[in-house]
Amino acid sequence: MLGKGRKVSGRGETVTANYAFGPAEDDAIIKHRLLTRTTTTRGEPPLKKLQRKFTSFVLEVEKDEENYNDCAKLSKAFLQELSTFEIPLLKSKAVIDANLREKENFNELKDEINRQISLVQTDIEELKKQLEESKIERQHKEECEAIRKLISAQPPRSETQKSIREIEKEIAALEAENTAGSRLLELRKKQFALLLHVVDELQNTIEEDQKSLIEEMRMVTEEQKSGMEDASGGSEAMAVD
């Protein structure tokens, strides 16, 4: 909005533009009043005054009398009034031209601002992408730092390798012990199988011996019975004799 006290250069003069934009519905009325200058804050309106001077001059010219001096005076007065009326018009034209130039400047400034806004929006989008990339990179760094701390908490490699060698030695000793135990177990199995075989044979021998002994005892018993019967028969025969 243009306010009071704006100075505009035109035709070698400095003009003060006293404008205040009113509502949209009053623009046409204000524009008409400024162009025709039919209103004024005080005194007679300039256009009516000019019209009155022109009417007086025309009426005086139309008279048939010898009134050249009056016509010259009225013509001079009309021309002076016309010049007085023209000066504000020239001032208004200078103000309009200045306003148009300023409007063009404002439009250029608006275009520049819009261009700068577009550039800033592009920069903002680029910065958003960089921010996302920075977040991902920071997350990776944090993960790497956590892994580094975890690795730092572990013993040195030399100690780890030493522990591995000791464990390997223990595993080898256990494997050797396991192998020896397996061999001993296999030997004990063979010995036990042999023992079972010997016991089985011994048991068979004992059973055969028992059977032989029983058979011998049975035969001896039968022989004894036979001898006793023979003895009893001889005694009876001797008794008969």
Side-chain angles (χ1 to χ4, degrees):
M1 180 183 291
L2 296 175
K4 293 183 178 181
R6 180 168 183 82
K7 296 183 178 181
V8 181
S9 297
R11 296 180 180 268
E13 296 176 324
T14 303
V15 183
T16 303
N18 297 323
Y19 285 97
F21 292 102
E25 60 269 13
D26 296 337
D27 289 347
I29 298 174
I30 294 173
K31 183 177 180 180
H32 177 72
R33 289 179 179 178
L34 289 174
L35 291 176
T36 58
R37 303 185 64 83
T38 56
T39 58
T40 184
T41 56
R42 58 184 179 178
E44 188 178 6
L47 185 60
K48 289 184 179 181
K49 188 175 181 181
L50 179 64
Q51 183 180 4
R52 183 172 56 80
K53 295 281 187 181
F54 179 73
T55 303
S56 299
F57 171 69
V58 171
L59 291 175
E60 191 67 28
V61 170
E62 289 178 351
K63 291 179 180 180
D64 295 334
E65 301 176 356
E66 297 288 337
N67 54 355
Y68 295 108
N69 293 330
D70 293 336
C71 288
K73 289 180 181 180
L74 291 174
S75 174
K76 184 177 180 181
F78 171 70
L79 293 175
Q80 288 178 351
E81 188 64 29
L82 181 62
S83 176
T84 302
F85 185 79
E86 184 182 12
I87 291 173
L89 293 178
L90 295 175
K91 292 180 180 180
S92 297
K93 184 177 183 302
V95 171
I96 291 171
D97 293 338
N99 288 336
L100 291 175
R101 288 193 300 271
E102 189 168 4
K103 181 181 178 181
E104 292 178 356
N105 293 332
F106 285 159
N107 290 333
E108 293 177 357
L109 181 61
K110 179 182 178 182
D111 294 338
E112 179 65 19
I113 291 174
N114 290 332
R115 189 180 67 83
Q116 294 292 335
I117 290 174
S118 298
L119 292 176
V120 170
Q121 289 177 346
T122 303
D123 293 339
I124 290 173
E125 295 297 326
E126 185 65 25
L127 290 174
K128 285 182 179 180
K129 293 180 180 178
Q130 294 180 3
L131 180 61
E132 293 297 326
E133 292 176 356
S134 299
K135 287 181 179 179
I136 295 173
E137 184 178 359
R138 181 178 179 182
Q139 184 178 0
H140 290 169
K141 288 182 178 179
E142 290 177 352
E143 292 175 355
C144 291
E145 182 65 19
I147 294 172
R148 187 190 66 80
K149 290 181 179 179
L150 182 61
I151 293 173
S152 299
Q154 303 301 320
R157 184 177 180 181
S158 57
E159 293 183 2
T160 304
Q161 289 179 346
K162 183 179 179 181
S163 300
I164 291 173
R165 287 193 295 269
E166 291 178 355
I167 292 172
E168 288 177 349
K169 289 180 181 179
E170 292 179 359
I171 292 172
L174 291 173
E175 288 179 350
E177 185 178 354
N178 186 26
T179 303
S182 298
R183 291 177 180 176
L184 181 60
L185 180 61
E186 189 67 25
L187 179 61
R188 292 289 186 267
K189 285 181 179 180
K190 291 179 180 180
Q191 291 177 351
F192 186 70
L194 180 60
L195 179 61
L196 290 177
H197 180 68
V198 172
V199 169
D200 189 32
E201 289 184 352
L202 182 60
Q203 185 176 2
N204 291 333
T205 303
I206 291 172
E207 288 179 354
E208 290 177 357
D209 291 342
Q210 287 179 351
K211 289 179 180 180
S212 299
L213 181 60
I214 293 171
E215 185 65 26
E216 290 178 356
M217 290 177 66
R218 186 181 63 78
M219 292 176 64
V220 170
T221 303
E222 289 180 353
E223 290 178 354
Q224 289 178 356
K225 287 182 178 180
S226 298
M228 290 178 66
E229 289 177 354
D230 293 340
S232 299
S235 295
E236 291 179 354
M238 289 178 67
V240 171
D241 291 339

